[in-house]
Amino acid sequence: MNTYLDKNLLPLMDGIKAKNTDSDILISLGLEHRGSTQSFVIQFGNRIEIFWNKVFSDSVINHVEDGDLIEVKGQERQIDHLFSTSEGDFYLESKCNLNFDSEKSKASNRKVGEVLESINKTFNLKATGAYFVPVVDVIPNSDRVKYNNKGLDVLGVTDLFNILPELPFTKKEYFDYLKNTVGPLLVNKGL
């Protein structure tokens, strides 16, 4: 077991609270007491983002430690991840699922570009922007090409380890932990 993951990832996941479904379909099937999968997925996504910001804070210069909001075209927007290494500056929009519909995809892609532009002006950086999928080791080439054709990059965990080779856990430890510790924990909570 990796003590870093025990100390920093497990408490975040243990804090996930089961919410009963509000799906009329499941209610009509007599499954109204079933935990809402969507609720688990949303909470997981929010908490894995917090975890990776902790990893960045412990490994490199993390620009969102003191605040994760930035003004973009008169509105406040959240910065998921913004860090600097000796190799450069990186703005990452965390996404646990790249398979959203095309309208949502267009809005998300636009957001990444607008936030990146504002980051570079506000922080006087030359950051590159990308999606980061913290639950996929290697991004399938079809997804990489799809996003590259839209002018965006998409990074998996392997890509992040290439940018930050000195992390406090290995890729294998991370994915084994998700599968063997976090998965059973969430099932016990009603997932």
Side-chain angles (χ1 to χ4, degrees):
M1 284 304 221
N2 182 295
T3 57
Y4 186 90
L5 296 171
D6 286 338
K7 181 180 176 190
N8 297 294
L9 183 55
L10 188 59
L12 289 168
M13 296 301 157
D14 195 29
I16 291 177
K17 306 277 190 261
K19 295 180 182 174
N20 284 345
T21 185
D22 60 359
S23 165
D24 289 334
I25 294 169
L26 292 178
I27 292 167
S28 75
L29 297 172
L31 302 172
E32 63 271 6
H33 298 294
R34 187 177 194 105
S36 167
T37 304
Q38 184 177 7
S39 171
F40 274 101
V41 169
I42 290 168
Q43 290 180 72
F44 178 93
N46 291 336
R47 289 163 189 264
I48 202 78
E49 184 180 308
I50 292 167
F51 170 73
W52 278 100
N53 270 321
K54 169 74 172 140
V55 171
F56 299 141
S57 291
D58 290 346
S59 305
V60 292
I61 298 168
N62 184 358
H63 298 283
V64 298
E65 279 184 333
D66 298 325
D68 64 353
L69 297 176
I70 192 164
E71 188 172 317
V72 177
K73 296 185 175 182
Q75 295 182 333
E76 284 195 329
R77 297 282 184 105
Q78 181 188 3
I79 302 170
D80 289 354
H81 308 293
L82 178 61
F83 60 90
S84 295
T85 71
S86 59
E87 303 298 315
D89 308 308
F90 299 88
Y91 159 57
L92 304 179
E93 180 73 18
S94 194
K95 294 284 180 207
C96 288
N97 184 359
L98 291 174
N99 298 320
F100 35 74
D101 66 54
S102 61
E103 286 306 310
K104 187 172 182 184
S105 178
K106 288 176 189 173
S108 291
N109 295 346
R110 187 172 44 254
K111 178 193 174 200
V112 169
E114 291 172 353
V115 170
L116 179 62
E117 185 179 318
S118 188
I119 283 170
N120 285 333
K121 286 179 186 174
T122 303
F123 291 97
N124 196 26
L125 297 175
K126 292 181 179 162
T128 58
Y131 286 112
F132 170 49
V133 187
V135 293
V136 173
D137 189 7
V138 177
I139 301 298
N141 195 48
S142 59
D143 284 334
R144 196 175 296 276
V145 168
K146 175 181 157 183
Y147 283 90
N148 287 168
N149 286 342
K150 296 173 184 172
L152 291 167
D153 200 5
V154 58
L155 308 177
V157 174
T158 290
D159 298 309
L160 204 58
F161 269 81
N162 290 335
I163 294 169
L164 304 169
E166 301 285 329
L167 295 180
F169 49 86
T170 66
K171 290 182 295 182
K172 181 174 179 4
E173 287 173 322
Y174 174 70
F175 283 107
D176 284 350
Y177 200 86
L178 289 177
K179 185 175 184 177
N180 300 321
T181 303
V182 174
L185 171 76
L186 296 182
V187 166
N188 287 336
K189 288 178 163 284
L191 176 63

